[in-house]
Amino acid sequence: MSNSMNRRTFLSYLGTGAAALAAASAGLGTLEGKASALSSTADHLFGFGTNRVTGFFDPIQPSKEDKLVLPNRFKYDVVAAFDDIINPAGEKFGQGCDYNAYFPLEGSNRGLLVTNHEYTNIFSLGPIHNDQLTSAQVEKELYYQGMSVTEIYKDKEGTWKLDPASKYARRINGFTSFELTGPAKGSAALSQAAKVQGTFANCSGGITLWKTVLSCEENFSETAQHAKLNETHYGWVIEIDPRDASYRKKHTALGRFNHENTAMGLASDGRVVVYMGDDKKDACVYKYISKGKFDPAKGRSNASLLEDGTLYVANLKKGQWVPVTIEAVTKVLSSDSLKVPYGVNASKEELQKRYKTQAEVVTYCHEAALLVGGTPTDRPEDIEISPFDNSVFICHTNNDTHGNIHGHITRIFESGDNLASLEFDFEIFAAGGRQSGFSSPDNLIFDSNANLWVVTDISTSSHNKGVYKSFMNNGLFVIPTAGKDKGVAMQFASGPVDSELTGPFFTPNEDTLFISVQHPGENTTDLSKPTSTWPHRKGDKIARCAVVAISGFKLG
C-alpha cells in the first residue's frame, strides 16, 4: 500500500491499564498468521479453507457519483440483476439482493451463486397509491423477495456471466413451501402448522458445515400483512440446498425475530454453535448450541442438529450466555419481585398466559430473551467468527435513540476460546464516525490475510446530509488486523446513489469478490425521474439492484 495514501484510523478500545493502552496506541487487536486448516469455523467467512492472499490496493475517496467506484486496476462484471432471466423456465432474478454464497462446480470459475432478496420497491411494484398494494402488487412482492440460485461462470476473457441454461438455477420465494422443524412445529403458537408458505424479507445468512445455506427472514411483518399470511410463520432461519430444490426447512429452535445472519462454528467438543443478531433497535445477540455433535460423515443429515439444542442470549453486563428456555422464562415470571423489563410491552399476567411451552418461547423470542436478562443492543447485524482465534465480531449498526449515531463493531472473547462457553468478555473493536471514515457497519467477512472487510448501511434518507455528509454514499472498507497497516480503515468501494453494498463473498482462490448493490435509486418516487439508473444498461431507464463480481486481486 502507498505510504502517501489518505488513511483513517479506527477508534479502538481494548480495555484499561498500561498494557491495554500500549496495545491501543498500536491500533486494533492483532490476529496474526493465516487461517488454520483446522479452524473450527464454518466456511462462510472467506471461501473454502483457502490461505491465498487477496492483495493490496490504493484506497479510494468517498463518492456521491451514481457509479460503483473501485480502486485502480479493479473491475466489476454484473452477473445477475433484477428481472434477469435465470433458467429455462423463465424465472427472474429477484429484487433487493443481499447475502451471497458461492459454491464451486468446476474449480473457482464456475459455480452456484445463492443470493437473498430482502425487499421490493417502486422499480418492481410501480407506484403505490394511498399506501395500499393491489393484488397484482402483492403477487410481485411475494415473487421478487426470497432467494435466487443462479449458475455463473468466468469466460475465457475473464468476464463473469450468468448461465440461463442452468439445471440448478431457480427461485425460492413467497410462494415456495417449507417444512418446519423444532419445538414450534405443529404447535398452537403457529396454528398447528407443520408446513408453511413462502420465505421473504431474506436479509443475510451463512453456510453450514455440511454445505447448505441458512437464510434469515428479517423485516417480514409488512409483507406478511400485505399478503394476509400468518406472521408467526415468518421471522425464522431457513435452510436450503443449492443442489437440491426439494430441500427446504425452517428451523424454529433458532428462534423467531428480525434475523440478520448466522455464523456457524464448532465447540471444542464438536457441538454446533450458531450466532445470530436481531436487527432492530434495543434487540439482543443470540447463540444456539446443539445437543448432538457434528459428524462430517453424515453430510446433510447433520441438519438435525439445528432441531435439538439450547438457545442462549447475551447478557453483556455479566458476560454470560443466558438460556432462553421455558424453564428460565417460567422462573422469571413466577417471581413476586418481577419488574417487566424495558422493551417488553405486556403485563406479567399477559406474559404468564403467553408462555406455556418452548414453542411460545421461540415464537415470541424477543420478549422472552429480555425477560431472562438479555442485553438490549444497537441493531446487531452481521456476526462472524474469526477463523484465526475464534473471537466473535458483531456489527452494531447504530441506534440514534441512544445517541449511537455511527455504530460500532463489538468483539466477543469466549472463555477458553470455546464457542460453547457460557461466559465471555468483550471489547468495542472499532467505532464508526469521522475518525474512522465510515458510518453504520453492516456485513463483515474476513479474507485469508486477516483483513476484515466491512460494508456500511447509512439509511438512504440520511445520505449526504447532516453528520453523514463526509461519508457520502455507502461503501466497502478494509481493516488490516496484522502488519504495518493494522488498525487502519481503507475504503475499497463506493456504491451508486441511494444504494448500500451487501453480501460480500470471495471465491475459494480469492481472485473474485462477489457483492450485491442493493436498492440503487431507492428514493425514486416518480419512475420518469429515477434518482439512479445504475447499472446503466443501454436503453434502461430504471435502477436495478445486482450482484457484481469484482476482480483484479493480486494472489500470493
Side-chain angles (χ1 to χ4, degrees):
M1 301 179 194
S2 170
N3 289 327
S4 63
M5 69 180 67
N6 183 11
R7 297 166 174 165
R8 295 179 171 88
T9 305
F10 275 62
L11 277 181
S12 303
Y13 301 94
L14 302 179
T16 58
L21 290 172
S25 69
L28 300 179
T30 302
L31 305 177
E32 297 288 355
K34 304 292 186 181
S36 168
L38 300 177
S39 180
S40 60
T41 57
D43 291 334
H44 67 301
L45 296 176
F46 56 90
F48 292 80
T50 173
N51 285 332
R52 300 298 293 274
V53 179
T54 55
F56 298 111
F57 62 94
D58 290 323
I60 67 168
Q61 296 298 310
S63 170
K64 296 180 183 178
E65 292 187 275
D66 190 30
K67 296 178 180 179
L68 176 57
V69 181
L70 301 175
N72 292 332
R73 90 163 187 274
F74 289 87
K75 75 177 185 75
Y76 71 88
D77 305 312
V78 175
V79 293
F82 161 60
D83 238 16
D84 284 351
I85 301 295
I86 66 171
N87 61 17
E91 291 185 297
K92 297 179 178 180
F93 196 69
Q95 196 176 39
C97 47
D98 201 304
Y99 173 75
N100 297 294
Y102 180 72
F103 293 81
L105 292 174
E106 300 173 8
S108 283
N109 293 338
R110 177 178 284 270
L112 300 182
L113 184 70
V114 179
T115 303
N116 280 350
H117 299 293
E118 188 173 4
Y119 58 91
T120 45
N121 62 27
I122 191 172
F123 298 119
S124 61
L125 302 182
I128 298 172
H129 301 289
N130 301 320
D131 294 325
Q132 296 294 316
L133 271 65
T134 66
S135 58
Q137 286 174 320
V138 171
E139 285 196 17
K140 288 181 178 179
E141 190 170 41
L142 292 175
Y143 179 83
Y144 282 115
Q145 293 184 38
M147 305 175 73
S148 290
V149 178
T150 55
E151 186 170 340
I152 61 174
Y153 66 98
K154 184 162 65 172
D155 68 15
K156 294 179 180 179
E157 285 70 43
T159 301
W160 283 91
K161 296 179 178 179
L162 177 70
D163 183 356
S166 172
K167 65 179 181 180
Y168 297 105
R170 64 189 185 277
R171 287 297 317 285
I172 302 150
N173 56 28
F175 298 106
T176 308
S177 64
F178 281 83
E179 174 192 352
L180 293 172
T181 76
K185 178 180 181 179
S187 70
L190 270 61
S191 303
Q192 286 75 45
K195 291 185 177 181
V196 297
Q197 174 190 325
T199 186
F200 41 77
N202 301 75
C203 189
S204 191
I207 291 179
T208 67
L209 295 165
W210 45 94
K211 300 298 184 286
T212 60
V213 174
L214 298 179
S215 177
C216 293
E217 298 173 338
E218 190 187 22
N219 296 313
F220 56 86
S221 293
E222 188 174 76
T223 299
Q225 291 168 5
H226 290 163
K228 296 180 171 59
L229 295 169
N230 187 332
E231 284 194 47
T232 63
H233 294 177
Y234 310 96
W236 304 103
V237 173
I238 73 167
E239 182 182 12
I240 66 123
D241 186 334
R243 295 174 176 83
D244 182 356
S246 68
Y247 187 83
R248 303 181 302 274
K249 297 185 177 185
K250 293 195 180 190
H251 293 297
T252 69
L254 301 182
R256 173 178 168 266
F257 44 85
N258 298 84
H259 282 275
E260 171 72 18
N261 85 314
T262 65
M264 180 179 286
L266 281 180
S268 299
D269 62 2
R271 288 178 292 164
V272 166
V273 180
V274 183
Y275 291 87
M276 299 168 287
D278 185 357
D279 181 12
K280 55 180 178 282
K281 296 176 183 179
D282 301 325
C284 299
V285 176
Y286 300 82
K287 78 174 177 183
Y288 168 89
I289 305 175
S290 67
K291 182 177 180 180
K293 298 180 181 180
F294 174 65
D295 181 355
K298 290 183 178 179
R300 198 173 70 184
S301 296
N302 283 289
S304 62
L305 296 171
L306 302 181
E307 302 175 22
D308 187 11
T310 303
L311 186 65
Y312 295 86
V313 65
N315 183 312
L316 295 174
K317 187 174 182 179
K318 295 182 178 179
Q320 295 177 353
W321 292 101
V322 183
V324 188
T325 60
I326 187 58
E327 293 80 11
V329 171
T330 300
K331 182 178 180 180
V332 170
L333 292 177
S334 64
S335 171
D336 293 334
S337 60
L338 170 67
K339 292 183 179 179
V340 176
Y342 170 78
V344 177
N345 299 315
S347 68
K348 178 179 178 179
E349 292 73 23
E350 290 171 329
L351 294 166
Q352 287 174 327
K353 289 179 181 179
R354 174 183 294 173
Y355 294 106
K356 298 296 186 183
T357 69
Q358 187 65 17
E360 286 81 28
V361 170
V362 295
T363 302
Y364 303 102
C365 194
H366 172 77
E367 293 82 3
L370 293 174
L371 282 171
V372 299
T375 301
T377 67
D378 296 340
R379 291 186 58 204
E381 292 210 53
D382 209 297
I383 301 177
E384 299 294 349
I385 306 165
S386 167
F388 304 92
D389 67 356
N390 261 8
S391 60
V392 180
F393 291 75
I394 306 167
C395 274
H396 284 102
T397 297
N398 54 44
N399 189 345
D400 56 3
T401 302
H402 302 304
N404 187 356
I405 305 301
H406 298 301
H408 60 274
I409 299 172
T410 304
R411 183 182 180 189
I412 284 179
F413 302 89
E414 298 282 24
S415 180
D417 297 327
N418 179 9
L419 298 183
S421 174
L422 299 185
E423 295 185 349
F424 64 88
D425 200 352
F426 75 95
E427 67 187 26
I428 304 303
F429 179 78
R434 287 185 57 173
Q435 80 291 333
S436 62
F438 82 94
S439 174
S440 307
D442 188 341
N443 297 153
L444 300 170
I445 55 167
F446 286 92
D447 65 31
S448 58
N449 203 35
N451 294 315
L452 189 65
W453 296 65
V454 185
V455 295
T456 61
D457 183 14
I458 300 170
S459 172
T460 306
S461 61
S462 298
H463 283 191
N464 299 296
K465 298 176 183 176
V467 297
Y468 298 99
K469 284 182 180 179
S470 64
F471 309 106
M472 301 188 187
N473 295 348
N474 277 313
L476 168 63
F477 295 78
V478 180
I479 315 167
T481 58
K484 66 182 181 65
D485 290 304
K486 66 182 179 182
V488 177
M490 293 158 283
Q491 187 164 359
F492 180 85
S494 176
V497 170
D498 294 349
S499 74
E500 62 173 303
L501 304 179
T502 58
F505 199 98
F506 283 105
T507 53
N509 65 1
E510 289 189 320
D511 74 350
T512 300
L513 172 65
F514 299 109
I515 199 163
S516 294
V517 178
Q518 191 182 49
H519 59 69
E522 184 179 42
N523 281 331
T524 297
T525 57
D526 182 345
L527 284 172
S528 68
K529 300 176 182 178
T531 58
S532 169
T533 55
W534 188 90
H536 308 297
R537 288 178 167 175
K538 187 176 181 180
D540 212 350
K541 297 181 180 179
I542 66 169
R544 298 182 187 273
C545 63
V547 179
V548 302
I550 299 173
S551 55
F553 297 98
K554 292 181 178 179
L555 301 181

